[in-house]
């Protein structure tokens, strides 16, 4: 199976509350300032990469690759570092489509990915359910529509049926919806896909238990990753123009919750809930 | 602005609650921008749902009732929604799991720009601007869609569910369109429903949520308190991942977004991703043995204590207070 994994770098999600939004009084800030925050791979994309690796290997002998995982990012030159990280983790090759951060737009990424799919011809595009900066949750669905491919969003578990079809459990309100999708397809993943039993793929014996979460790159792999192919493309090579369908007018900070009080006893808490907050 | 079409979310013939938030958005936005709104129901066996929706003050209710759309699949629903959207300026979906799945596919078919998961709007000169949470709720963006048709999904917790108006909108049948080439490539197998006696998380007025530290006896520890309050039970990701409770109880950036009147966070540290799902709650109570836990920064009432000692005591005290 050949799998394309789009991944994006984001400002450190663990410190998302440190973004700065300098808005003039009564107005909007022109941008969200993330200086001082380290770039990290979007966590959901790391989950997608882990799932892609599990689908293209025998989990008991991971060195022998049984398929191909191609990572792609849209972004400026610094993003090469994110791609090298993915290569060290196990991806086979990488592509960066050179765009500036302010050109980035979910619809543009989806249209450009559709062209890239024509060139790379993957059996599956596997990605995160959302980027944790824009929290949009749109690229997978847009891409599937542009390609005329089936889509499966919020995948929590994936069973590979002979590299031809996938049986997927997707998280829905009130439970889980199970579907079978023929490849090629576009799938986006939830965090649960990296549970020890999140991915089932025939070359890996049923008795094999994956570690919980994503794998880390061993040191030698980080060195070897420098030798893996990383190709840089221009948007024009894909025949796509930036033509945004939406525009951001500006940004504002969330309303601050006023600092609450600490109560000393259960009796005091119940009294406050009943008589002050009036929620009992 | 032209008129707004709300795409209802219906499962097994029942209108899901987030639909009513999307209707509230459409009603208010149509009024502010000078237009009307209609509702579209897609599914199979929709008589009761259509009747219910016709009491919501819409100009009309369009109904695509066909066995082809019995179970939700984007590939089967999107062509019908795109066809029904003709003549409308805005197509609004509830930002629930199927709305979020369907809206972008419809947007692509319509060549429309998409405003995902909106939490507010403004109308100026008939043009709508949308407010939406980003960075796990640590920033809000204001955006406009510049295509002739606009697609939005509406965050249910941010709009008060529409109440029936008493009127009855005209019900109009529309045909199901079956022209998505991908529809033959995906098959619905089953829906594993998680059964619970308690209210649904996204609909509950009170939520008792537990973290990793509640441990193996998660349900035993929290159920008496939840029962006393008529509350839903929620959880942090760490509690779900450890297998202490079903995964669909997860609240947060990856889980459910909730905004009850009362949220009790018990043994939850208050990671950014958890706060993203519950910061909109009206009153927040935190019980944690670490006085520095970040959850205290967003809670109205904090109690520094051992949860295993305090939860039974709190249950008894609330019972007494309510008696
Ligand atoms: C991409 C991504 C998405 C995520 N999405 C979510 C999400 O949707 N929801 C979510 O919740 N998390 C999410 N997380 C995980 C999140 O970062 C935290 O790891 C998680 O919320 C921590 O759960 P916790 O508070 O239960 O556990 P911990 O952080 O381990 O906290 C346990 C708390 O319990 C307290 N405690 C311990 N013993 C007791 C006791 N006896 N009595 C009282 N207090 C006690 C401790 O002081 C501590 O504060 C996500 C992470 C990532 C990377
Ligand atoms: N700039 C980008 N480069 C590569 N992949 C991206 C980019 N933006 C979004 N994606 C992919 O699209 C998924 C969904 O993102 P979004 O719809 O923006 O929330 C992400 O998890 C990524 O896999």
């Amino acid at each position: 199976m050949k799998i394309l994994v789009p991944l994006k770098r984001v400002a450190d999600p663990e410190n998302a509350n440190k973004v700065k939004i300098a808005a003039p009084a009564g107005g909007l800030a022109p941008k969200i300032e993330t200086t001082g925050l380290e770039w990290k791979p979007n966590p959901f994309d790391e989950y997608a990469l882990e799932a892609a690796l599990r689908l293209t290997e025998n989990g008991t002998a991971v060195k022998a690759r049984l398929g191909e995982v191609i990572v792609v990012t849209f972004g400026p030159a610094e993003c090469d570092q994110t791609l090298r990280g993915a290569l060290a983790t196990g991806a086979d090759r990488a592509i960066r489509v050179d765009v500036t951060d302010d050109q980035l737009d979910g619809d543009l990424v989806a249209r450009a990915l559709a062209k890239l799919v024509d060139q790379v011809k993957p059996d599956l595009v596997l990605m995160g359910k959302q980027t944790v900066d824009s929290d949009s949750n749109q690229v997978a669905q847009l891409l599937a529509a542009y390609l005329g491919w089936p889509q499966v969003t919020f995948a929590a578990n994936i069973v590979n049926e002979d590299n031809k079809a996938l049986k997927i459990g997707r998280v829905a309100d009130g439970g889980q919806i199970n579907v079978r999708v023929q490849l090629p397809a576009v799938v986006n993943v939830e965090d649960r896909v990296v549970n020890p039993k999140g991915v089932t793929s025939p070359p890996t014996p049923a008795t094999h238990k994956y570690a919980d979460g994503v794998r880390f790159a061993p040191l030698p792999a980080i060195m070897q990753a420098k030798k893996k192919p990383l190709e840089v493309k221009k948007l024009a090579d894909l025949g796509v123009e930036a033509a945004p369908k939406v525009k951001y007018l500006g940004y504002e900070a969330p309303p601050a919750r006023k600092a609450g009080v600490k109560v000393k006893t259960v009796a005091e808490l119940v009294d406050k809930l009943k008589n002050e907050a009036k929620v009992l | 602005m032209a008129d707004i079409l709300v795409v209802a979310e219906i499962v097994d013939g029942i209108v899901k609650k987030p639909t009513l938030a999307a209707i509230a958005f459409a009603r208010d936005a149509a009024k502010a921008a000078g237009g009307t709104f209609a509702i579209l129901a897609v599914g199979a066996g929709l008589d009761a749902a259509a009747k219910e929706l016709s009491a919501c003050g819409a100009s009309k209710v369009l109904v695509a009732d066909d066995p082809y759309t019995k179970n939700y699949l984007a590939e089967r629903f999107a062509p019908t929604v795109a066809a029904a959207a003709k003549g409308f300026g805005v197509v609004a979906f509830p930002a629930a799991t199927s709305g979020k799945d369907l809206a972008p596919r419809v947007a692509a078919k319509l060549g429309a720009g998409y405003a995902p998961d909106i939490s507010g709007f403004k109308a100026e000169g008939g043009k709508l601007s949308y407010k939406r949470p980003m960075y796990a709720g640590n920033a809000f963006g204001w955006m406009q869609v510049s295509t002739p048709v606009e697609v939005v999904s509406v965050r249910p917790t941010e709009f008060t569910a529409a109440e029936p108006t008493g009127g009855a909108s005209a019900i109009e049948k529309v045909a199901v369109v079956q022209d998505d080439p991908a529809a033959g490539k995906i098959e619905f197998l089953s829906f594993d429903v998680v059964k619970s006696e308690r209210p649904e998380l996204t609909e509950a007025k009170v939520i008792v949520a537990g973290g990793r530290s509640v441990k193996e006896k998660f349900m035993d520890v929290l159920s008496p308190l939840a029962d006393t309050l008529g509350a839903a039970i929620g959880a942090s990701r760490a509690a779900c991942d450890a297998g202490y409770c079903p995964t669909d109880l997860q609240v947060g950036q990856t889980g459910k977004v909730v905004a009850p009147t009362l949220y009790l966070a018990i043994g939850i540290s208050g990671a950014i991703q958890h706060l993203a799902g519950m910061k909109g709650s009206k009153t927040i109570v935190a019980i944690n043995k670490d006085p520095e836990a970040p959850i205290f920064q967003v809670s109205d009432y904090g109690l520094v204590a051992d949860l295993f000692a305090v939860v039974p005591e709190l249950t008894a005290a609330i019972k007494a207070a309510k008696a």
Side-chain angles (χ1 to χ4, degrees), chain A residues 13-17 19 21 28 32 34 44 47 129-130 132-138 141-142 144-146 148-154 167 170-182 190-192 244-252 254-255 257-258 260-266 269-270 272-274 276-277 279-280, chain B residues 9 72-75 96-97 100-101 104-105 108 111-114 116 129 131-132 134-147 181-182 185-194 229 237 241 247 250 253-254 256 261-262 272-273 279 281-285 291 296 298-304 310 313-314 317-318 321:
Chain A
E14 297 300 325
N15 287 299
N17 57 345
V19 298
I21 302 157
L28 295 174
I32 299 174
T34 59
F44 292 107
Y47 308 150
K129 70 158 191 165
Q130 70 193 45
V132 298
D133 48 6
S134 77
D135 281 333
S136 310
N137 184 338
Q138 61 179 352
Q141 301 91 315
L142 292 172
Y146 291 141
W149 287 10
Q151 70 185 46
V152 183
T153 54
F154 313 120
K167 215 180 118 195
R170 57 184 296 265
V171 177
D173 293 325
Q176 175 175 304
I177 294 176
N178 302 302
V179 296
R180 173 176 290 112
V181 64
Q182 308 293 328
E190 283 277 349
D191 43 0
R192 275 189 250 299
K245 295 189 170 106
V246 304
K247 75 165 186 261
Y248 276 86
L249 308 172
Y251 304 90
E252 65 183 48
R257 269 196 91 93
K258 70 171 172 40
V261 296
K262 289 234 171 77
V263 293
K264 295 219 159 47
T265 61
V266 165
L269 176 59
V270 173
K272 295 259 192 217
L273 290 178
K274 187 167 180 179
E276 193 175 273
V279 288
L280 287 186
Chain B
E9 175 158 333
Y72 170 76
L73 284 173
E75 297 77 358
T97 42
K100 289 200 270 191
D101 184 60
R105 196 168 182 106
Y114 174 45
S129 307
K131 181 185 180 183
R132 55 179 309 272
M134 307 170 79
Y135 287 90
N138 289 291
F140 284 96
W142 277 96
M143 67 182 293
Q144 283 180 344
V145 179
S146 36
T147 48
K185 304 281 172 59
I186 183 161
E187 179 192 351
F188 175 97
L189 300 174
S190 58
F191 184 21
D192 301 334
V193 182
V194 181
L229 288 162
R237 168 159 148 191
D241 281 357
T247 52
Q250 183 171 321
Q253 190 178 29
T254 334
K256 302 278 183 326
T261 318
L262 176 61
I272 275 177
Q273 299 91 350
K279 243 184 358 186
S281 306
K282 192 160 159 276
T283 299
I284 299 175
V285 171
F296 287 123
V298 301
S299 51
D300 301 280
Y301 304 111
L303 180 59
V304 180
V310 154
E313 198 186 330
L314 181 62
I318 290 174

Side-chain angles (χ1 to χ4, degrees), chain B residues 98-117:
Chain B
S98 49
K100 289 200 270 191
D101 184 60
L102 181 58
R105 196 168 182 106
V106 171
K109 281 185 192 290
L110 296 171
Y114 174 45
D117 209 17

Side-chain angles (χ1 to χ4, degrees), chain B residues 125-206:
Chain B
K127 177 73 187 164
L128 291 169
S129 307
Y130 306 106
K131 181 185 180 183
R132 55 179 309 272
M134 307 170 79
Y135 287 90
N138 289 291
F140 284 96
W142 277 96
M143 67 182 293
Q144 283 180 344
V145 179
S146 36
T147 48
V149 183
E150 313 186 4
V151 172
V152 306
S153 60
V154 178
R155 185 174 263 223
T157 52
E158 303 294 330
F159 294 84
T160 309
E163 304 269 356
T165 58
S169 336
I171 295 177
E172 224 172 83
K173 295 259 175 215
V174 297
V176 161
V177 181
Q178 311 187 8
D179 70 358
D180 191 320
K185 304 281 172 59
I186 183 161
E187 179 192 351
F188 175 97
L189 300 174
S190 58
F191 184 21
D192 301 334
V193 182
V194 181
K195 288 215 172 60
S196 166
E197 305 292 302
R198 296 207 169 75
E200 261 188 57
L201 254 184
T202 46
E203 301 183 0
K205 291 208 162 52
V206 181

Side-chain angles (χ1 to χ4, degrees), chain A residues 6-7 42 45 73-74 104 127-128 130-131 134 136-139:
Chain A
L7 57 93
N42 178 38
D45 299 346
T73 198
F74 292 77
L104 280 176
M127 58 174 106
Q130 70 193 45
T131 45
S134 77
S136 310
N137 184 338
Q138 61 179 352
V139 172

Side-chain angles (χ1 to χ4, degrees), chain A residues 204-277:
Chain A
T204 301
T207 49
H208 179 74
K209 199 167 180 262
Y210 274 103
D212 198 0
V214 300
R215 67 194 67 187
F216 292 100
L219 208 51
I222 296 173
M223 299 309 293
Q224 281 152 19
K226 296 200 172 116
K227 297 199 198 93
K228 287 188 178 174
L230 190 167
E231 191 187 345
V232 179
K233 287 182 190 275
K234 298 223 166 349
L235 267 184
D237 299 341
L238 297 171
V240 188
E241 270 176 58
K245 295 189 170 106
V246 304
K247 75 165 186 261
Y248 276 86
L249 308 172
Y251 304 90
E252 65 183 48
R257 269 196 91 93
K258 70 171 172 40
V261 296
K262 289 234 171 77
V263 293
K264 295 219 159 47
T265 61
V266 165
E268 191 186 345
L269 176 59
V270 173
D271 176 65
K272 295 259 192 217
L273 290 178
K274 187 167 180 179
N275 301 314
E276 193 175 273

